[in-house]
Amino acid sequence: MTKYYQIYDDYYLDYGITSGPTLPDGSIMAGKTVEANDLPELIYKINVPDNETCPHFMSGGTLIVSELFVKVLQSEGINNFQTFPAILINPDTQKKRTGYFLFNVLSLVSTANLEQSSFDMLMDRGDAGDLPIVALEELSLDSKKISGLRLFRLAEDPAMLIVDESIKFALKQNRPEEGWGVMFEELDAE
């Protein structure tokens, strides 16, 4: 059975995104294709000192990844995402960094087994026929609903990005000297 992991920023890092543009509602977290023309200018402020390497994976209301991160995913045949060039700028020095992208995952999957998970209900949208929005404390996945996806967002918590073990392995095998700036948490999958 395939193992799945939540991937997220390494919370031991001291630097990352401090602010960015306001994106249209339902654009990046909806798991759907976004038109580049619908996005504002993608300039993100960072607090990374000019002499330090930027993390390759940064969240801050959205997800910014490096060109190297994208290339590793592509080398693994992962193609259910879009990238949009972003500029990272240190507002103290005005140093600009390129080679980073706003990352839009095109798969939003309702695969949480809420009966086996522990969570706080944020929004019960049952009357509208929509999935509830929850803050998961402990997640159990229904692996039958994943349908072979290797990278996806969780519909019940769209901020949660999930990868399978092959992606985790590929990232470990291609780890840059400074690291990716990510952590993995293995998830229960039944």
Side-chain angles (χ1 to χ4, degrees), residues 3-97:
K3 292 182 182 179
Y4 294 92
Y5 300 84
Q6 179 184 358
I7 182 173
Y8 53 91
D9 302 67
D10 182 344
Y11 48 76
Y12 291 109
L13 295 177
D14 295 328
Y15 309 116
I17 298 169
T18 57
S19 68
T22 300
L23 301 176
D25 285 344
S27 59
I28 299 300
M29 298 296 215
K32 297 178 183 173
T33 301
V34 173
E35 295 298 325
N37 295 341
D38 294 339
L39 296 174
E41 188 174 21
L42 298 175
I43 297 176
Y44 290 85
K45 293 179 183 176
I46 57 172
N47 63 355
V48 181
D50 292 349
N51 61 343
E52 296 274 339
T53 304
C54 271
H56 293 269
F57 184 101
M58 295 177 281
S59 64
T62 188
L63 189 57
I64 300 296
V65 298
S66 71
E67 184 174 12
L68 181 58
F69 187 90
V70 171
K71 285 181 178 181
V72 170
L73 292 181
Q74 290 171 331
S75 73
E76 288 296 305
I78 306 301
N79 60 10
N80 62 324
F81 63 88
Q82 290 178 287
T83 58
F84 303 93
I87 296 173
L88 308 182
I89 187 167
N90 179 336
D92 296 332
T93 65
Q94 300 305 305
K95 178 178 179 175
K96 293 181 181 179
R97 300 180 197 225

Side-chain angles (χ1 to χ4, degrees):
M1 178 180 252
T2 302
K3 292 182 182 179
Y4 294 92
Y5 300 84
Q6 179 184 358
I7 182 173
Y8 53 91
D9 302 67
D10 182 344
Y11 48 76
Y12 291 109
L13 295 177
D14 295 328
Y15 309 116
I17 298 169
T18 57
S19 68
T22 300
L23 301 176
D25 285 344
S27 59
I28 299 300
M29 298 296 215
K32 297 178 183 173
T33 301
V34 173
E35 295 298 325
N37 295 341
D38 294 339
L39 296 174
E41 188 174 21
L42 298 175
I43 297 176
Y44 290 85
K45 293 179 183 176
I46 57 172
N47 63 355
V48 181
D50 292 349
N51 61 343
E52 296 274 339
T53 304
C54 271
H56 293 269
F57 184 101
M58 295 177 281
S59 64
T62 188
L63 189 57
I64 300 296
V65 298
S66 71
E67 184 174 12
L68 181 58
F69 187 90
V70 171
K71 285 181 178 181
V72 170
L73 292 181
Q74 290 171 331
S75 73
E76 288 296 305
I78 306 301
N79 60 10
N80 62 324
F81 63 88
Q82 290 178 287
T83 58
F84 303 93
I87 296 173
L88 308 182
I89 187 167
N90 179 336
D92 296 332
T93 65
Q94 300 305 305
K95 178 178 179 175
K96 293 181 181 179
R97 300 180 197 225
T98 58
Y100 290 85
F101 299 91
L102 175 63
F103 191 68
N104 182 28
V105 176
L106 299 176
S107 300
L108 185 69
V109 182
S110 174
T111 184
N113 181 342
L114 295 179
E115 293 172 4
Q116 298 293 322
S117 302
S118 61
F119 59 91
D120 290 325
M121 181 72 67
L122 298 179
M123 186 184 312
D124 184 0
R125 305 182 309 169
D127 294 341
D130 293 327
L131 293 170
I133 300 295
V134 299
L136 290 156
E137 296 169 16
E138 201 170 311
L139 172 62
S140 179
L141 298 175
D142 182 343
S143 59
K144 293 182 287 278
K145 294 181 180 178
I146 296 172
S147 302
L149 287 171
R150 298 168 56 202
L151 166 73
F152 60 94
R153 287 191 182 280
L154 187 67
E156 294 84 356
D157 185 354
M160 187 177 287
L161 188 63
I162 299 174
V163 299
D164 76 354
E165 61 193 336
S166 69
I167 293 176
K168 179 184 177 193
F169 180 76
L171 289 169
K172 284 189 169 206
Q173 289 298 108
N174 294 285
R175 183 183 183 275
E177 183 178 323
E178 66 278 3
W180 290 109
V182 299
M183 297 183 81
F184 296 96
E185 181 179 333
E186 187 173 349
L187 302 170
D188 285 336
E190 298 179 14

